[in-house]
Amino acid sequence: MNDPFVKRQADTLAQRIMADQAVGDPVDAAFRAVLSRPPRPDELRACGQVFRDHGLGTVCWSLFNCSEFLYLP
């Protein structure tokens, strides 16, 4: 979870999303890239606040560390 490799990968994904001119909402794009689904309204609000306060890299890092990404149902 806190390994520097995971943080670098999250930052790399965030940079890729932010560089894409076609991306409308970066948080939505991060959810679709990492979890293959759009965010629920509550997730969008919470992650939108994290995005404003800490940047998209932190949002991507948290998505990489959520159980939905780590474990198959």
Side-chain angles (χ1 to χ4, degrees):
M1 179 174 178
N2 291 320
D3 189 81
F5 174 78
V6 176
K7 182 63 175 144
R8 281 193 313 270
Q9 295 307 306
D11 290 339
T12 299
L13 176 60
Q15 290 171 0
R16 190 183 90 204
I17 290 170
M18 295 305 289
D20 187 350
Q21 299 296 323
V23 169
D25 181 0
V27 173
D28 181 73
F31 265 82
R32 291 174 188 273
V34 176
L35 301 178
S36 299
R37 67 168 178 84
R40 294 186 307 263
D42 59 321
E43 294 171 328
L44 189 58
R45 278 191 303 277
C47 289
Q49 186 64 48
V50 172
F51 171 61
R52 287 186 292 280
D53 293 345
H54 302 285
L56 190 60
T58 301
V59 173
C60 293
W61 174 76
S62 66
L63 291 173
F64 284 158
N65 286 290
C66 73
S67 60
E68 187 176 344
F69 179 74
L70 295 173
Y71 302 103
L72 294 173

